[in-house]
Amino acid sequence: SIAMTTKRGLFVVLEGMDRAGKSSQCRRLVDHLNSIGHRTELMRFPERDSAIGSLIGQYLGRKIELDDHAVHLLFSANRWEFRPHILDTLASGVNIVCDRYAYSGIAFTAAKADGPDFHWCCQPEVGLPAPDLKIFLSVSPEAQASRGGFGAERYEVADFQRRVGEAYARLMRLEDQAGGSCPAWLTINADGAFEEVQQQLAKAVVAAIDCPRSAGPPAGLR
Ligand code: NYM
Ligand code: MG
């Protein structure tokens, strides 16, 4: 008989600034993948539906104040608490499309004026499951503004978003310099029509699903 092994699921992370359309694109992408027979689960960070996530939600909604380091560690702990779920899901052959991950954690804290140092920000993420594919949805300040401006949560102000963009650029540069023959990040410009962006996304993700993958769990972030 032929030994059957389940190919593990693909772990895709979407990153980008607020108003890039990540959440809508992720939802649509997951529906599309399932409809063409690729079992896929949607995840998001922060995942507010946990004890840690509820504290994060209160912080973002300005109900509570927290030291910048403390809230950074909460965002990271929120990922760590879902690590077993991520690994089990991938091992069962189900793909994960994740709306934000460790890179949001680093970029948003590192963007704080007089906040924690960039390298300190990276440390709590070391060892989390590394994504197989990282996609950055880029959005111009003009498109951000044309989408009804920002919401009322902490961080949703233009000047801070500019600093977040710089922090993302710094970490993508670092990762692209770290080696490997192809870029660590795929950037998709999300200024255009929703459907066009969705098509580019779906094409990249389906191609990655079809690529060979090691059978074991993903490596840890370094
Ligand atoms: N955010 C998100 C962080 O500051 N650190 C993190 O680790 C993550 C995952 O939370 N402005 C910020 C980015 C967003 C805010 O996210 C809420 P969303 O995707 O709008 O729910
Ligand atoms: Mg938001």
Side-chain angles (χ1 to χ4, degrees):
S1 70
I2 301 166
M4 293 289 285
T5 50
T6 314
K7 187 178 181 184
R8 79 160 169 82
L10 182 82
F11 185 23
V12 190
V13 166
L14 263 83
E15 289 280 0
M17 289 185 285
D18 290 296
R19 298 265 121 195
K22 280 183 309 308
S23 302
S24 314
Q25 293 288 0
C26 283
R27 276 194 303 273
R28 177 72 74 85
L29 178 62
V30 168
D31 288 347
H32 171 68
L33 293 172
N34 280 304
S35 79
I36 59 172
H38 295 301
R39 288 181 304 150
T40 305
E41 181 179 313
L42 176 64
M43 292 188 72
R44 69 204 58 75
F45 290 106
E47 173 48 78
R48 302 184 197 211
D49 193 15
S50 78
I52 295 167
S54 142
L55 275 173
I56 293 172
Q58 291 173 56
Y59 173 79
L60 289 171
R62 302 177 203 275
K63 302 276 187 295
I64 57 172
E65 294 299 322
L66 287 165
D67 174 81
D68 291 334
H69 302 77
V71 74
H72 184 78
L73 294 174
L74 285 179
F75 273 111
S76 184
N78 188 225
R79 285 182 278 280
W80 280 103
E81 67 176 331
F82 285 98
R83 174 178 176 268
H85 178 76
I86 292 172
L87 296 179
D88 289 350
T89 303
L90 297 175
S92 73
V94 175
N95 309 303
I96 295 174
V97 169
C98 194
D99 181 359
R100 298 192 184 282
Y101 196 54
Y103 314 97
S104 284
I106 298 165
F108 278 78
T109 303
K112 292 182 173 184
D114 306 317
D117 160 77
F118 183 87
H119 292 287
W120 184 89
C121 291
C122 298
Q123 295 314 306
E125 313 300 328
V126 173
L128 282 168
D132 300 300
L133 177 60
K134 295 172 285 193
I135 300 175
F136 186 79
L137 283 193
S138 68
V139 64
S140 65
E142 295 73 27
Q144 271 182 321
S146 78
R147 288 172 190 177
F150 296 114
E153 283 199 337
R154 210 184 284 261
Y155 305 154
E156 296 185 327
V157 286
D159 185 54
F160 189 72
Q161 293 285 321
R162 190 181 46 72
R163 297 168 56 88
V164 170
E166 287 164 8
Y168 266 126
R170 178 171 179 186
L171 69 87
M172 288 192 274
R173 232 175 11 248
L174 278 177
E175 289 206 321
D176 278 340
Q177 281 162 5
S181 49
C182 48
W185 286 82
L186 172 66
T187 297
I188 294 181
N189 181 280
D191 283 355
F194 183 91
E195 288 305 331
E196 263 166 51
V197 176
Q198 179 63 209
Q199 275 175 27
Q200 287 183 57
L201 257 178
K203 195 174 162 208
V205 173
V206 169
I209 288 174
D210 290 339
C211 271
R213 271 186 293 294
S214 62
L221 284 180
R222 295 195 293 160

